[in-house]
Amino acid sequence: MSMLNVVKNQKMRIVFPLILVLSLFAASLAGAEEQLEPGALTTKPPEEHVFAPLAAYNYLTGYGSTVNRSGSGMMMSGYTRTGLIAGFISLDITLQKWTGSSWINVKSINKSAENSNTIDNSLIVNSEESGYYYRTFSTHTARVNGTIEKATTYSNNFLLN
């Protein structure tokens, strides 16, 4: 075997494994790309729940918010409940949109009452873009006998398509 053939064989022994490793690495990167749900323009956002058990409160007995399809748009809604008549009770709901990397606030509603133990609010939203994920973030506040209780929560993610 000539010296030239020996050098070529040595180069092939080095280059071939290097090409193999690089191609496997590129294939793993391509496979790591997250698949989009049908109709989605972004990747699916992480689920995020902030919900304290009702046993943690003396007066709040129920609270929550949701976002669901309503016609060609969606409805954001929520409620706050207390076991006793509250001197003040309120509900703040913010509709949030997933950009693919973060949540942005797009619309807010709020409602409050005095001397009540329940409050509900909702809004139909038709102006938002299809193909994005939405959720609600809500704050529920009650003042009973001078004690203020506050709870916050996120709804499930909703794909508008």
Side-chain angles (χ1 to χ4, degrees):
M1 189 180 262
S2 75
M3 186 63 134
L4 185 59
N5 285 340
V6 170
V7 171
K8 281 184 182 180
N9 283 340
Q10 286 176 342
K11 284 183 180 180
M12 285 302 289
R13 286 183 193 160
I14 294 171
V15 171
F16 182 73
L18 184 60
I19 291 172
L20 180 62
V21 168
L22 289 175
S23 62
L24 289 173
F25 178 71
S28 71
L29 287 179
E33 187 176 305
E34 191 172 336
Q35 297 295 317
L36 299 181
E37 287 190 34
L41 299 176
T42 68
T43 57
K44 191 172 185 174
E47 289 288 337
E48 187 174 357
H49 297 283
V50 177
F51 194 87
L54 287 173
Y57 300 103
N58 293 316
Y59 303 109
L60 285 172
T61 59
Y63 59 87
S65 64
T66 61
V67 59
N68 296 299
R69 174 164 295 290
S70 178
S72 62
M74 57 193 145
M75 177 187 284
M76 54 190 281
S77 61
Y79 67 95
T80 304
R81 307 272 187 271
T82 59
L84 299 173
I85 298 296
F88 175 82
I89 188 170
S90 70
L91 168 63
D92 299 297
I93 308 170
T94 300
L95 181 66
Q96 297 181 321
K97 175 182 176 180
W98 179 249
T99 65
S101 61
S102 65
W103 290 101
I104 59 171
N105 297 341
V106 294
K107 190 164 297 283
S108 294
I109 59 173
N110 55 57
K111 190 174 183 180
S112 62
E114 295 180 354
N115 302 315
S116 179
N117 69 338
T118 185
I119 197 160
D120 300 276
N121 204 1
S122 63
L123 177 69
I124 294 177
V125 180
N126 289 314
S127 59
E128 292 306 317
E129 296 176 86
S130 294
Y132 290 93
Y133 290 89
Y134 294 87
R135 72 176 182 187
T136 57
F137 171 73
S138 55
T139 303
H140 312 267
T141 307
R143 186 182 69 236
V144 178
N145 299 327
T147 300
I148 297 174
E149 291 185 341
K150 186 178 281 192
T152 58
T153 189
Y154 294 99
S155 69
N156 290 330
N157 302 328
F158 169 74
L159 175 59
L160 180 62
N161 58 11

